[in-house]
Amino acid sequence: MNETIIEGPLYEARKKVYPQAVHGRFRRIKWAILIFALAVYYLLPFVRWNRGLGFPSQAVLVDFPHRRFYFFFIELWPQEVYYFTGLLIIAAMTLFLMNAVAGRVWCGYLCPQTVWTDLFYAVERFVEGDRRQRIISDQRGWTFTHIRQAATKHFIWIMIAWWTGGAWVLYFADAPTLVKDLATFQAPFIAYLWIAILTATTYVFAGHAREQVCIYMCPWPRIQAALTDEWALNVTYRVDRGEPRVSVKKAEQLRQHGAPAGDCIDCHQCINVCPTGVDIRNGIQLGCIQCGLCIDACDTIMSEIGRPSGLIAYDTDINGQRRLAGKPPVYRLIRARTILYAGIITLVGSVMLYALATRTSLSINVLHDRNPLFVQLSDGGVRNSYTVRILNKGPERAFALNVSGLIDADLHIAGTERGPDGRLTVDVGQDQTREIRLSVQVESANVPQRPVDIEIKVTDVVTGQTAGVADHFVPPNQ
Ligand code: SF4
Ligand code: SF4
């Protein structure tokens, strides 16, 4: 059997995209989101939050040295990492929900790659002109004007990238102090390193790789292709309205004679404004990030030629088929998958809120010594030892230790004496963890016959706040 081998390149060479400026509803929404997202990102580290003396006053702070995460009134400890799991579940389900309702709305409006690329395109347009001027400039080659414009553009891009990297590190230390340290070259080396890495990645991804990130690097388009269904709203070219494509003049003539004429005049404006260079008239494609800019472009053309807007619009696959069959469109936002995603978000969010609302500023962990499990004393008494860790999420305070479940248990803490009031107390610093060695001893007459459950408890000597944990006391021969 003869096999035909088709030789050719393994991938298509990149065609440079020159997106044209566009005005309209979706462009305004994108500008609003861009300004809001960038303002939050660059300014949030400077927002202050009063947590009291000795606590950091930065509203959002990842405090690695003290192993804490601060988010306004919330302070998370490493032991509470499950909150991040909850946040990840909510984030994933929100993405799935967005996808089920409106396709790649995340890609088109909210993804950092989209936001920064949009900003870099705005700079490019401001410095080098709109699509036509940029194409002509590239065709002319390296003229003096082209070199000057390119140098200006890359300088502004690098400044934006540098600010992006600079803002990132401010989330990991007190922002005003770090800014001062960075300016006087007294900041830690790791801060400069991260700024350099993020400056480089922002510059490369938003300035050069651009749509290539969405098409080749990001896994989300592939995942969303598996998640979407025929009821999801996607940017859609309405074939029933658009075809056959003819010029305005020809369309008028055809309509006068009662012949079919589509609304698409093949002006290519929808392609010209597309940041990924997609022709949406060929159907939904991997390269389409669902930004809606082609809708704005086409609506402008429709209004200029006196045809109804919406030749390109957010619509569903089902409606595409229904329109072709002459049926009215139907929309179904509430369906099994949207209910499921919304339900999971509500459930996980509620559990997290409840856990946050009822979390305590004090907790203890106890580890019973394994080797030896007990110590038989010469007078017949028995001693068990424990490692007790007290987590104090409040101000510095003293805690009294008690053990219940044993008769006349005698407690000892290594390096600590009983106070004048006879209580065994330990001081734990503000927002600190303290580990102590606790010995629990009972006289021979009170040694239990078998292991017994006990509760080890700490009590704030001023407020009376308590935290306890169950463990056991092990006698000999068990
Ligand atoms: S902008 Fe509208 S009219 Fe122009 S080519 Fe695209 S779909 Fe057709
Ligand atoms: S085809 Fe339209 S919606 Fe898709 S990326 Fe291009 S401009 Fe945005």
Side-chain angles (χ1 to χ4, degrees), residues 204-245:
V204 169
F205 287 160
H208 295 276
R210 298 172 165 185
E211 81 287 350
Q212 305 281 296
V213 175
C214 310
I215 297 172
Y216 297 113
M217 292 169 66
C218 178
W220 180 232
R222 281 91 188 160
I223 298 170
Q224 80 107 34
L227 286 172
T228 195
D229 68 358
E230 66 276 26
W231 292 102
L233 288 165
N234 284 301
V235 174
T236 309
Y237 168 69
R238 288 176 172 161
V239 182
D240 58 300
R241 251 194 72 182
E243 305 295 318
R245 300 171 201 174

Side-chain angles (χ1 to χ4, degrees), residues 235 270 274-276 278 280 287-294:
V235 174
C270 50
C274 177
T276 58
V278 161
I280 193 66
C288 173
I289 58 168
Q290 305 278 320
C291 66
L293 294 183
C294 53

Side-chain angles (χ1 to χ4, degrees), residues 4-5 51 54 57 79 89 115 119 140 155 179 214 243 293 307 394 438 458:
T4 311
I5 298 172
R51 297 189 180 85
S57 60
Q79 295 82 353
I89 294 171
V115 170
L119 178 65
R140 279 193 188 140
F155 174 75
V179 167
C214 310
E243 305 295 318
L293 294 183
R307 302 295 297 167
L438 173 71
V458 288

Side-chain angles (χ1 to χ4, degrees), residues 237 245 263-271 279-281 294 297-299 301-302 305 311-312:
Y237 168 69
R245 300 171 201 174
D263 278 343
C264 176
I265 58 168
D266 210 14
C267 64
H268 282 212
Q269 278 305 298
C270 50
I271 310 168
D279 183 349
I280 193 66
R281 297 173 302 169
C294 53
C298 192
D299 281 352
I301 297 294
M302 290 300 112
I305 65 171
L311 173 55
I312 303 176

